[in-house]
Amino acid sequence: MHGPDPDKIFPNDNLKRVCFVKNAVTRPNIIVGDYTYYDDDEGADDFEKHVTHHYEFLGDKLIIGKFCAIGKGVEFIMNGANHRMHGITTYPFNIMANGWERCTPRIADLPIKGDTVIGNDVWIGQNVTVLPGVHIGDGAIIGARSVVSKDVPPYCVAAGNPIKIIRRRFDDESIQLLLNIKWWDWPAEKITENLEILCGGDAAALAKLK
């Protein structure tokens, strides 16, 4: 046995609240890596409803790496939620139609913030809101009910509304080592063989593996 099948929707048949996200999404502008899961006892396989204001014509993507743990109630707010801000009013008259569509803004007039990118091995707690264009680095931890309004560096613990960096999980040398090793790209066999080291706290021990 070398771990669960990454191509199953529910990796554990006895735990239907945990879903491998990549196997449950249908939108081409949501890209998710192997083994990343969403935990929800009320429809874990309905992950896409937690990605809001996501319109293909805007071109922005939600990109999530491998081995991420995403808690119940997460919301990824995408660029379609943003209104133009240079006018007297921010009201989106055009979507109401009936003659108001003549003020439909150009995409260039909207505050598009780019893709939302979540790294590998990121833990996102329950009821977290991630705003458009945010980048969360590999190995980061996001506390429950946080609003991620800015980028979070790799291997940092961050929480709050707006989010603040609380601490780094490891020292600079260990963080760089982990970023270089990229254990999440290992084959399943190697990961299985080294679970004890991966679940331990000694980053240097990974560097000794061949």
Side-chain angles (χ1 to χ4, degrees), residues 27 29 51-61 75-84 90 92 94-95 105 107 110-116 130-133:
R27 298 184 209 165
N29 47 357
V51 185
T52 63
H53 306 282
H54 202 194
Y55 310 121
E56 287 190 28
F57 70 89
L58 291 179
D60 59 332
K61 295 180 176 63
E75 183 177 9
F76 295 94
I77 300 177
M78 304 301 288
N79 284 284
N82 287 329
H83 297 194
R84 55 184 169 185
T90 61
N94 59 292
I95 69 172
I107 291 179
L110 299 173
I112 303 296
K113 298 180 181 297
D115 296 336
T116 298
V130 180
L131 298 186

Side-chain angles (χ1 to χ4, degrees), residues 137-139 154-155 174-182 184:
D138 297 327
Y155 289 97
S174 295
I175 289 174
Q176 191 57 56
L177 183 64
L178 292 168
L179 293 175
N180 291 339
I181 291 173
K182 300 181 186 297
W184 43 82

Side-chain angles (χ1 to χ4, degrees), residues 85-165:
M85 296 186 291
H86 63 272
I88 292 172
T89 178
T90 61
Y91 191 83
F93 288 98
N94 59 292
I95 69 172
M96 305 306 167
N98 295 287
W100 285 0
E101 61 272 19
R102 75 173 187 271
C103 283
T104 299
R106 300 174 304 160
I107 291 179
D109 294 331
L110 299 173
I112 303 296
K113 298 180 181 297
D115 296 336
T116 298
V117 181
I118 314 300
N120 304 280
D121 191 24
V122 173
W123 173 20
I124 299 178
Q126 289 191 9
N127 299 305
V128 167
T129 300
V130 180
L131 298 186
V134 163
H135 288 209
I136 301 176
D138 297 327
I141 297 174
I142 309 299
R145 300 189 181 279
S146 296
V147 176
V148 188
S149 55
K150 64 180 180 180
D151 292 353
V152 177
Y155 289 97
C156 283
V157 178
N161 178 10
I163 202 162
K164 295 181 180 178
I165 308 303

Side-chain angles (χ1 to χ4, degrees), residues 31-36 63-68 117-121:
I31 302 166
V32 184
D34 287 344
Y35 303 104
T36 284
I63 302 170
I64 305 175
K66 302 175 182 177
F67 291 96
C68 293
V117 181
I118 314 300
N120 304 280
D121 191 24

